[in-house]
Amino acid sequence: NTPMPLGAALAGIPSGIRATGPWAGRRQLFVKFAGIAETATMYTADALRTELARLAQRSVYHSISISGGDPLGEADFLATAFEGGAPLGVMLDHDGQRPEALARVIGCLAMVQVTLSGAEDDAVVARAVATLRHAAEKQVAHAIALVPEADPSDGRLLRIVEQAKGASAETSVVVHP
């Protein structure tokens, strides 16, 4: 029996300018996992690898951003897609809620960015901080991007930043207006 190739539902692979975090303003290819009720196309790991290589040759990009949906819910797919390397550096931009799944893909990443709104509860922040700690332990660049919603207090944002820096002094912190 030949195993079925790993596949995932992607909302597309658009190109654009990174809006948040330390790589803001850089041109990226966005691998966007489909969310609920979002139009999607199924990609095998091989098809994604081939498409990214093709797109990277057509224009100048800084990196590849993996985002949308629950990207670490597809850790095996990502690990397979990038097992031989990627045509550009790969950034994982997510909510940091699957620190245990990060181990499966950390070797293919150039940047781990955890994006939070500041309205998350303590358990969510704790998992995000564990994700930053894991990236630091594996010596992968890591950042927390705070994009405040619902007007969190400065004190709340400061506590999140302190926890992120407590996980790793090397954590890049970017707070967006």
Side-chain angles (χ1 to χ4, degrees):
N1 285 347
T2 304
M4 289 291 293
L6 288 174
L10 300 180
I13 309 174
S15 65
I17 304 298
R18 160 110 337 246
T20 60
W23 289 0
R26 301 212 171 113
R27 193 159 186 243
Q28 293 184 313
L29 289 169
F30 291 87
V31 175
K32 297 183 74 170
F33 282 89
I36 296 171
E38 195 170 10
T39 301
T41 301
M42 289 301 293
Y43 278 80
T44 64
D46 287 339
L48 176 60
R49 186 181 319 108
T50 300
E51 183 65 4
L52 288 171
R54 184 184 74 75
L55 291 169
Q57 291 176 348
R58 292 181 65 200
S59 192
V60 177
Y61 297 98
H62 174 266
S63 52
I64 296 166
S65 173
I66 301 168
S67 63
D70 179 15
L72 285 180
E74 301 291 349
D76 289 337
F77 169 80
L78 290 170
T80 301
F82 295 115
E83 67 189 351
L88 301 164
V90 178
M91 164 196 255
L92 175 65
D93 180 13
H94 67 309
D95 61 7
Q97 295 309 293
R98 289 181 183 259
E100 71 289 345
L102 186 60
R104 183 76 176 100
V105 297
I106 194 79
C108 66
L109 300 176
M111 168 69 79
V112 173
Q113 178 172 303
V114 174
T115 301
L116 299 177
S117 70
E120 295 82 5
D121 66 32
D122 290 343
V124 170
V125 173
R127 284 190 299 276
V129 168
T131 294
L132 295 170
R133 185 177 300 110
H134 185 68
E137 289 167 356
K138 296 299 181 179
Q139 299 179 339
V140 173
H142 49 284
I144 187 161
L146 294 171
V147 185
E149 296 175 5
D151 211 19
S153 71
D154 288 347
R156 177 71 180 149
L157 295 177
L158 183 58
R159 282 189 297 280
I160 293 170
V161 169
E162 287 171 343
Q163 289 176 57
K165 285 296 199 175
S168 165
E170 300 299 314
T171 302
S172 293
V173 175
V174 181
V175 180
H176 293 277

